[in-house]
Amino acid sequence: LTWQQAELKGKIISGVKDSLISKDFTNLLPNASFKYNFTRFKNFSLNYSASTNQPNMSQLQPVPDNTNPLYIREGNPDLKQEYSHTFRGNLNLLSPYKNKNFFMFFTAMLTQNKIVSYDTLDLSTGIRRSKPVNVDGVYNLNANINYSFPLKFMKASLELGNRLRYNKGKQFFNTVTNEIKTFSWGPELRLDINPTDKLNLGVAANFDYNDAK
């Protein structure tokens, strides 16, 4: 368990009335780990950790930035800090005498009070305003699987892999919630041939599929 103390202090000079920003963030961040050894070369591990991300001065300041009159950026002094939960897992199954290996790795992160943009557009004037707000339901998942084994009749080894990724985010536009979902999938294939001790030939291919909504 980690204790975290963060303090943010600043002064906004607007030329009319100065504003003072003072924010204190106190957190207790838990972390845990688990590992199990099936055998000397086979094990599974799982880790959990918590982390935070505090809003910066430009996101908290209450004075609109109208440097560009068609795109006005506003701060939000009521912003909360982001709080993320991260899970990581590893599965390693090695057979060194048979030259067979299997690896699996995954990461999952869930973020509470994620800081995103809330945009509005005045159709009559063309003026766009942007303001940071907090939302829940934002997360991302990543996984990687890899398996390799020998091909003795070719004096070669074949490696099969796959990458998976899924992200879910949110944005706002004229009071409408937009959920942003992205999914990617990428299988891989690699063949290494060793006909002699001095010669190695390798060929690889991969495929990437991406879908965003």
Side-chain angles (χ1 to χ4, degrees), residues 89-92 102-108 141-147 159-166 184-188:
N90 279 287
L91 177 63
N92 301 313
F102 178 83
F103 302 97
M104 183 179 71
F105 169 79
F106 75 88
T107 301
L141 306 171
N142 295 278
N144 196 312
I145 300 174
N146 186 282
Y147 177 58
E159 182 178 321
L160 307 174
N162 198 358
R163 304 183 310 275
L164 297 171
R165 180 175 299 165
Y166 181 79
S184 63
W185 173 54
E188 298 175 316

Side-chain angles (χ1 to χ4, degrees), residues 12 14 61-67 71-75 129-130:
I12 305 299
S14 63
Q61 58 90 13
V63 181
D65 180 1
N66 58 1
T67 305
Y71 180 54
I72 300 176
R73 293 175 294 177
E74 302 178 14
R129 293 178 178 269
S130 181

Side-chain angles (χ1 to χ4, degrees), residues 64 71-74 118-121 127-131:
Y71 180 54
I72 300 176
R73 293 175 294 177
E74 302 178 14
Y118 191 113
D119 294 345
T120 58
L121 177 65
I127 296 177
R128 182 169 182 160
R129 293 178 178 269
S130 181
K131 180 180 180 179

Side-chain angles (χ1 to χ4, degrees), residues 36-51:
Y36 184 78
N37 294 314
F38 302 101
T39 66
R40 180 183 175 185
F41 301 106
K42 300 179 180 180
N43 60 74
F44 171 75
S45 64
L46 182 64
N47 297 275
Y48 164 78
S49 62
S51 60

